[in-house]
Every structure is written in structure tokens, then in C-alpha cells.
Amino acid sequence: MTIGVFDSGIGGLTVLKHLVRVLPEYDMLYLGDNARAPYGDRSADRIYEFTQQAVAHLFEEGCALVILACNTASSEALRRLQQEFLPSHFPDRRILGILIPAAELIEKKYAQKNIGIIGTRATVQSNAYLREIEKRGMAQKKVTQIPCPLLVPLIEEGWQDTPPGRQILKKYLYPLKQKQVDVLVLGCTHYALIKDRVARIMGKKVAVIDTGSAAAASLKKYLSCHPEIEKTLSKNSAVRLLSTDTSERICSLVQRYWGSALPIEQITLE
Ligand code: DGL
């Protein structure tokens, strides 16, 4: 069986890279719903429906567990999938999200600090990060969330280093600088691609958390605590990429984000 990785689009390759780095021997199956991305401005019901279809597809392809690399899907769909869908459809499989590893890292290292979170509109509006942080005993008033809907298209267009790109980023980050956050969570798969630029704007004193890196470390720990799942996983270092769309644009984004060509297998979700 395989480890499944789901993202609304291609940004989740930033998470897949960390997973492959930390767990190089395991086979991974990535699914990007590029035909219907971005999810970030969609309703909770729509995000749930699409994510459920994608997760079901990954399980049917033989995944023992699925990582929701997508912050938006983790925020809006994870709880319901774990509570309603999994028990009745795939009781022996698991779904893990990307938010909890970041929240755990904050609890461990930055519990008394001012926390900033940037993400899609859906991620911020869901308050899912806030819930996970509060659950760990940290004060809600110490958290500032900023939705950054322009960042995903900006990064996909490669505009982050242009004057308008820098201006937009500074505008989004300005309230977080004003609040003097000590730690900033990059709550969207794409933002890992501009981590250095964000860190430069925020200044040396601010720790910037890449959720993919936290999720990979957490998955390694999870597998060591769950030998019943770990022993079912195949270990041939194989990476497959499924997508609901294979336009030229998608292929070039894969090349850019993955660093080399990765064959894309087209699938349909319904
Ligand atoms: N992958 C999504 C996330 O991490 C961002 C892109 C989208 O809006 O679908 O939130």
C-alpha cells in the first residue's frame, strides 16, 4: 500500500518534497485536483465534496493513509471526513491533515509568543488554525490571521520578485509586523515557495513555519507509533503524480515546483 498526498492543485508538491526527504524509501501517490483548483475561495460544502472524492480515489488506488497537504482542505474538510466519511466507507484507512503538526510545533516552541497565520480566505474563515492553537492552551488574542487570496495566482505567475508582487506581499504582511508577531505560519502550500522573501520582509526575529516540513516530521513519528499501518506500506521510493487536468501550464508548474519532469497521469473525479 502507498502514502497518498492530496492537494487542490500543484502547490502540494512543496509538501511532497519534504515527505520524500524525510521518508525517502516509501512509495507516494500525489493527487492534484487541478481541474477545479483553486479551492481557496470556495464554500465549505464544495471543498468537502471535492476533497472527499479525491480521498476516495486515493484509497481506491491503494493508499493506506492520505495526507491532506492542502491547508484549505485540511481546514474545511478533515474533521468531517474523519468523523463521517472514513468510518462508513474506509474504516481501516487514515486521513491526516497539515494543520496539527504546525500547531504542535507552535505549542512546543512558541507557546507564549505572538502568532501570525497567512492562508487562503477559506482557511482563515474556517478558524481551524485558531481552534487547534486554542486546544493547546494558547490564547486566541495572541493570534492574528490574514487571508492572502492574491498570493497563489501571483506565485503561479512567478510574479513574487516583481515590484507589484513585492508590494502585494508587503501589504499582506504589514498588519502582522504591526502586531509584532514572533512566529508566522505559512498556511498554504504555495507559500513555501516564497518563504525566504517572507522571512526577509518579516525580519530576522520572526520564525517562519513551513507547514510541509512540520507535517513530514510528524508523519515519520506517526508511522513509528503505528506499526500496523507502517508495515503495510511499500518501499520502492516510487513517486506517482495524478491530476484532474494536464494542461501545458500544469506541466510547466510541475517542472518548476518539483525541479524535474514528473509524468502526470490524468484522472477524473466524481
Ligand atoms: N493548496 C491550497 C492551500 O494549501 C492553496 C490553493 C487553493 O486555493 O486551492 O490552501
Side-chain angles (χ1 to χ4, degrees), residues 120-136:
T120 65
R121 217 175 247 131
T123 296
V124 169
Q125 279 169 4
S126 74
N127 282 326
Y129 268 109
L130 217 53
R131 271 197 304 275
E132 292 303 334
I133 286 169
E134 270 196 310
K135 243 192 243 172
R136 288 164 179 80

Side-chain angles (χ1 to χ4, degrees), residues 7-12 36-41 69-73 98 119-120 123 152 156 187-191:
D7 185 42
S8 56
I10 230 64
R36 303 185 293 196
Y39 283 12
D41 281 319
C70 181
N71 285 260
T72 306
I98 193 111
T120 65
T123 296
V152 168
E156 290 197 349
C188 172
T189 50
H190 282 71
Y191 303 170

Side-chain angles (χ1 to χ4, degrees), residues 76 93 103 154 164 190 213 222 270:
E76 292 285 30
R93 314 292 175 92
L154 193 140
H190 282 71
S213 166
Y222 180 88
E270 49 200 7

